[in-house]
Amino acid sequence: MEYLATGNQQSIMDKLTVLTNAAKYDVACTSSGVERKGDGKSIGNCVAAGICHSFASDGRCISLLKILMTNECIYDCKYCQNRCSNDIPRATFSPEEICTLTMEFYRRNYIEGLFLSSGILQSPSFTMEMIFRTIWLLRNKYHFNGYIHVKAIPGAAPELIAQTGFLVDRMSINLELPTAEGLKALAPNKHRKTILTPMRQIQNGIKENKNDIVLYRNAPRFVSGGQSTQMIIGATPETDYQILNVAEGLYKKFDLKRVFYSAFVNVTGDKNLPALPGGPPLLREHRLYQADWLLRFYGFRAEELLDEKHPFFNVLLDPKEDWAVRHLECFPVEINRAPMEQLLRVPGIGVKSAQRIAAARRSAKLTFSDLKKIGVVLKRALFFITCNGRMMYPVKLDEDYIVRNLTEEKERVQFGSDGMTYRQMSLFDDGSFTGEVKPMERLQTAVGQI
Amino acid sequence: MIVYRCEDSLESIFTAIYLAYEEKRNHAETMLSLSDDPILFAEDVPVVSCTDKVLKVIKTLKRRFGEDDYKELCMALASEDMEKAQAVYRTVADGLARNCDRGHLFDNLTNDYVHKAFALARNAGRECAHLQGFVRFQELENRVLYSKIGPKNNMVTFLMPHFADRLPLENFVIYDERRNFFGIHPAGRQWYLLRGEEAGEPSELQVSEEEKAYQELFRQFCRTIAIKERKNLTLQRNMLPLRFQEYMVEFQQKP
């Protein structure tokens, strides 16, 4: 077996290929959350908004040099291609190799920084120490001042995690699967508790550090970009409602910056994993991200979007539209008067547009053409808003009717263009046909009264 | 109707704005034009840039509208749109007339000129944010980092501070191919701009062997990081338009 002769024989190119391939299912490739000017002596700075440097052929952004330190692993998680029982080429980067690659890529502006994760080598603490050493070298010997994101290894010694936290901008610990049962079934070596303990530790570290910085302006920053986590979607039978509740809990109780969702790709072919003939559940992942944004920026709560009776997201409508058509009593919203919270709940109005509306209506009464300039997506918003007491077209506030117009884009009627105002009648699109047949109606049909 | 004929430069346009106020023009009856197209029944006034006037205008804009909105106005002026001078002029006039608070210059989006200037600034700002990521440096044999770009808006002025802050100890050059315009940063010193005519013909560029190796490594990285089950070239093109791709190493074939 050739690959047993690891280490020196492998070229950097081989190692990069193996270790990039091993890291590609990690999603957290963002470089946001930290604003740090260059200090004139070292290389690098950070921009709060984050910078995307390229986009791979799957359309995901390449912002950081996303690699594993090693893909050797003592664990045997069933969903992971690096599991120890999997027969794949293995490789390990030395700290110097990682540093040189990062520096050379960074000065050519290929990347915004380093994302370093690792398989578990020997023990969690040993691995964490290797990661710490690499990052220390990168910061202190190579004078790299750019963005660094590392994975905290669950089960590693708390001192190591604390030490690493002072060198990096963001740390993350993967929750892997939304529920403890799922984790137990698919990742026998990982436990919910060992994942949540370091998460809590980092949260407390960030809080304490905030106080320190108030006291001493130049105190070292601890994980200044906050921490994130990721969950695999579709490997275990959780509902969207459960997943969203977990995410909400993480945001509230652990002050996470981001929760990432990763549509499950079956790379190991394990018998306990679902086969996904239709490809990874990308739409589901997309809906979860949409809902995630609603939780963080739009003031929604998880139980508003989904509940026990509707545990999955609507395939045709995005979560905000779905909420709006189920809560027509809140609409229409008057653009020139409604408070910010109500504007944010209108489909087609985002945070930016809502802010612009609030600013612009101070100096003028807004009309629909002004809304267009502001950036409101009128094809979605027009069913839910009024300007100066008028709707854009005569529109019925009726769930059935609005859903049809929001979904059937091609068949949508241009209102007013041909004198048609409401929907055209046809024999079969009567909403009452879809409802449950009552015993009384059945009787009436039988005796010929309907 | 009075028409101030400006050049396509920030100095010339700011001088024209100064003149419009100095000569107490009625703003509704005044135009700033970058072209020489004649306008019927209009009186042409040629504008000669004057540093004193430009500095006074900059000072006033910063004082009245705040640093951020001043930057937005500069972004709008970096656009390639020919109407930008008029849009910026009337936006400034609107802001001064409304006596708007700092940071609220672009609030009045119902005004067509304000909206135009806002849209131009947004467009240029987006391209600037794109280029901060998409600029690719090549290391030449003398270890100078060299990058060629061809943006729609005039972006070199906005990119230089970002990269000078990021790579303070590197010699680097950003060359705007469309405008024949260089941004030059000598290691450890202040950056400056150079027009192509002043720089002379660039000789044939030689990249080092090491450079080729790193380019190949990055190409391999970009190929490997993609998940083939999720392949979506349309999404890639939406996020990274083709006009940027032609300048980026990961989309070029191995020479």
Side-chain angles (χ1 to χ4, degrees):
Chain A
M1 304 256 284
E2 288 134 30
Y3 70 75
L4 282 179
T6 49
N8 301 331
Q9 277 97 338
Q10 277 177 322
S11 69
I12 291 282
M13 180 65 103
D14 295 338
K15 288 189 185 181
L16 184 70
T17 312
V18 170
L19 293 168
T20 307
N21 204 17
K24 69 180 174 188
Y25 296 102
D26 243 305
V27 251
C29 193
T30 54
S31 51
S32 53
V34 186
E35 180 78 36
R36 183 168 61 225
K37 287 270 162 229
D39 56 8
K41 285 176 291 209
S42 45
I43 181 170
N45 60 9
C46 291
V47 180
I51 297 178
C52 294
H53 282 256
S54 187
F55 289 85
S57 61
D58 51 13
R60 300 190 308 158
C61 105
I62 298 173
S63 173
L64 306 173
L65 173 64
K66 188 160 60 176
I67 46 172
L68 294 194
M69 196 175 67
T70 174
N71 66 341
E72 316 241 11
C73 191
I74 54 171
Y75 287 172
D76 197 25
C77 308
K78 293 185 174 131
Y79 52 83
C80 176
Q81 60 170 354
N82 304 319
R83 60 190 289 192
C84 61
S85 58
N86 212 3
D87 185 17
I88 49 163
R90 306 273 172 176
T92 304
F93 268 133
S94 73
E96 278 79 15
E97 283 167 342
I98 295 179
C99 294
T100 324
L101 257 185
T102 311
M103 296 304 283
E104 292 298 331
F105 276 13
Y106 193 83
R107 52 191 286 266
R108 288 169 176 79
N109 205 34
Y110 295 165
I111 54 165
E112 190 62 15
L114 174 68
F115 173 105
L116 192 61
S117 179
S118 180
I120 313 294
L121 207 62
Q122 293 185 26
S123 74
S125 289
F126 180 83
T127 318
M128 198 68 222
E129 197 183 333
M130 289 286 284
I131 290 181
F132 170 73
R133 250 190 238 185
T134 312
I135 303 300
W136 191 90
L137 212 60
L138 190 57
R139 284 279 194 233
N140 294 308
K141 187 176 162 200
Y142 291 80
H143 301 292
F144 178 70
N145 194 31
Y147 198 88
I148 300 182
H149 179 161
V150 297
K151 289 271 165 214
I153 308 288
E159 309 86 77
L160 283 171
I161 291 177
Q163 289 286 313
T164 315
F166 281 110
L167 295 176
V168 301
D169 296 295
R170 175 167 285 184
M171 265 183 136
S172 57
I173 299 152
N174 285 355
L175 201 59
E176 312 293 8
L177 295 155
T179 53
E181 298 81 60
L183 196 67
K184 208 171 173 187
L186 295 187
N189 309 87
K190 292 185 179 166
H191 304 285
R192 190 72 157 191
K193 201 171 148 244
T194 48
I195 292 175
L196 293 182
T197 315
M199 209 182 255
R200 182 69 76 196
Q201 185 200 343
I202 295 171
Q203 181 199 12
N204 292 336
I206 294 173
K207 251 187 216 159
E208 276 171 31
N209 188 238
K210 280 213 176 107
N211 296 335
D212 290 351
I213 289 167
V214 174
L215 267 182
Y216 312 102
R217 201 158 48 90
N218 292 324
R221 303 284 194 270
F222 183 81
V223 195
S224 46
Q227 63 171 331
S228 63
T229 191
Q230 78 169 42
M231 290 189 262
I232 302 168
I233 304 304
T236 40
E238 285 93 6
T239 61
D240 290 345
Y241 179 54
Q242 281 173 305
I243 296 169
L244 205 61
N245 265 323
V246 171
E248 192 179 38
L250 288 170
Y251 286 129
K252 280 194 181 144
K253 294 188 194 126
F254 288 88
D255 298 330
L256 287 200
K257 264 271 151 65
R258 286 288 298 274
V259 173
F260 292 95
Y261 310 92
S262 139
F264 174 65
V265 181
N266 194 341
V267 279
T268 53
D270 191 277
K271 63 178 182 347
N272 292 338
L273 294 172
L276 298 164
L282 294 179
L283 180 64
R284 196 169 167 209
E285 181 196 279
H286 179 58
R287 290 276 179 263
L288 278 166
Y289 274 120
Q290 288 178 318
D292 191 73
W293 250 255
L294 293 182
L295 292 184
R296 288 188 296 143
F297 303 115
Y298 292 79
F300 279 88
R301 281 170 293 121
E303 63 263 31
E304 284 181 286
L305 299 169
L306 295 171
D307 50 49
E308 297 288 352
K309 281 183 201 149
H310 307 95
F312 287 98
F313 285 114
N314 196 323
V315 178
L316 297 172
L317 298 176
D318 69 45
K320 200 179 184 188
E321 288 172 343
D322 194 38
W323 178 85
V325 293
R326 283 191 283 120
H327 293 87
L328 286 176
E329 70 279 3
C330 308
F331 299 102
V333 164
E334 169 57 45
I335 289 294
N336 285 302
R337 260 196 239 131
M340 195 70 170
E341 305 82 58
Q342 273 184 30
L343 286 180
L344 281 174
R345 295 203 161 214
V346 178
I349 298 184
V351 178
K352 276 270 158 109
S353 337
Q355 285 166 349
R356 283 183 204 141
I357 288 173
R361 68 188 178 186
R362 281 191 209 154
S363 41
K365 271 199 168 172
L366 301 183
T367 61
F368 282 99
S369 61
D370 296 329
L371 289 187
K372 198 161 194 173
K373 281 187 205 160
I374 282 172
V376 174
V377 186
L378 279 177
K379 70 175 177 183
R380 283 204 284 281
L382 72 92
F383 303 100
F384 307 103
I385 54 173
T386 58
C387 277
N388 307 317
R390 279 163 190 273
M391 293 194 106
M392 194 166 176
Y393 307 114
V395 165
K396 264 201 294 188
L397 264 183
D398 169 46
E399 179 170 348
D400 200 25
Y401 166 80
I402 293 176
V403 168
R404 224 157 47 101
N405 278 283
L406 283 172
T407 48
E408 297 168 22
E409 203 150 334
K410 281 177 202 150
E411 292 167 38
R412 187 174 307 149
V413 185
Q414 281 295 315
F415 291 100
S417 59
D418 49 6
M420 188 147 58
T421 47
Y422 295 135
R423 62 174 159 172
Q424 191 168 14
M425 289 293 284
S426 97
L427 201 54
F428 298 106
D429 66 352
D430 188 346
S432 55
F433 268 110
T434 52
E436 196 130 315
V437 185
K438 292 178 195 132
M440 191 60 189
E441 289 169 357
R442 202 167 283 158
L443 186 73
Q444 284 176 328
T445 327
V447 298
Q449 287 178 335
I450 283 187
Chain B
M1 178 73 99
I2 307 289
V3 180
Y4 288 99
R5 301 281 178 189
C6 322
E7 281 171 42
D8 186 358
S9 74
L10 184 132
E11 291 81 11
S12 177
I13 292 167
F14 279 179
T15 310
I17 292 177
Y18 187 91
L19 291 177
Y21 272 90
E22 190 181 45
E23 291 157 16
K24 295 208 165 85
R25 305 288 185 193
N26 175 1
H27 298 306
E29 299 268 300
T30 312
M31 259 187 85
L32 263 60
S33 172
L34 295 181
S35 66
D36 289 328
D37 300 342
I39 296 168
L40 212 54
F41 307 120
E43 183 193 332
D44 277 3
V45 184
V47 175
V48 183
S49 314
C50 163
T51 319
D52 282 352
K53 290 174 181 166
V54 174
L55 290 176
K56 278 181 183 166
V57 170
I58 292 177
K59 200 176 147 201
T60 309
L61 293 182
K62 281 187 180 171
R63 198 185 69 234
R64 295 293 294 272
F65 305 136
E67 197 79 34
D68 289 345
D69 280 351
Y70 166 70
K71 269 198 189 126
E72 289 294 300
L73 285 175
C74 294
M75 273 286 178
L77 289 180
S79 154
E80 59 172 358
D81 193 292
M82 293 302 274
E83 308 276 305
K84 64 185 178 185
Q86 175 70 358
V88 167
Y89 161 54
R90 292 293 290 274
T91 305
V92 170
D94 176 76
L96 291 175
R98 276 192 303 126
N99 203 4
C100 72
D101 288 338
R102 285 174 170 214
H104 290 274
L105 178 61
F106 294 97
D107 279 4
N108 191 12
L109 283 175
T110 47
N111 181 322
D112 283 337
Y113 290 109
V114 176
H115 176 248
K116 174 90 183 173
F118 169 76
L120 292 178
R122 181 173 56 184
N123 184 281
R126 279 189 186 152
E127 187 166 40
C128 183
H130 271 144
L131 279 173
Q132 286 185 359
F134 299 157
V135 161
R136 291 284 176 271
F137 287 111
Q138 298 186 24
E139 193 184 60
L140 305 180
E141 274 188 326
N142 51 6
R143 280 190 67 79
V144 171
L145 294 171
Y146 171 80
S147 169
K148 190 162 77 173
I149 55 174
K152 278 186 182 160
N153 305 302
N154 190 359
M155 287 285 83
V156 177
T157 332
F158 297 93
L159 291 174
M160 287 310 283
H162 171 75
F163 285 107
D165 183 53
R166 169 162 292 203
L167 309 168
L169 301 180
E170 301 279 358
N171 295 304
F172 67 84
V173 178
I174 301 178
Y175 172 50
D176 184 340
E177 195 178 36
R178 287 177 60 174
R179 291 169 190 81
N180 196 16
F181 204 54
F182 291 88
I184 296 175
H185 177 264
R189 280 186 287 149
Q190 180 62 36
W191 58 273
Y192 57 93
L193 299 169
L194 200 61
R195 285 211 179 79
E197 303 87 62
E198 299 160 22
E201 282 292 300
S203 54
E204 193 64 24
L205 297 169
Q206 290 290 327
V207 299
S208 54
E209 282 303 310
E210 197 192 8
E211 168 66 24
K212 284 178 194 158
Y214 278 112
Q215 288 188 3
E216 193 49 40
L217 276 172
F218 187 57
R219 255 176 240 135
Q220 177 65 6
F221 174 74
C222 290
R223 275 194 292 268
T224 327
I225 203 87
I227 299 175
K228 65 174 187 304
E229 288 88 348
R230 300 179 62 121
K231 186 166 182 171
N232 190 345
L233 290 178
T234 321
L235 179 58
Q236 183 189 31
R237 231 173 19 244
N238 285 344
M239 306 306 286
L240 176 43
L242 290 170
R243 65 189 172 92
F244 294 113
Q245 289 186 14
E246 59 179 297
Y247 296 98
M248 296 166 73
V249 291
E250 61 267 39
F251 296 99
Q252 288 154 4
Q253 295 306 313
K254 199 176 175 181

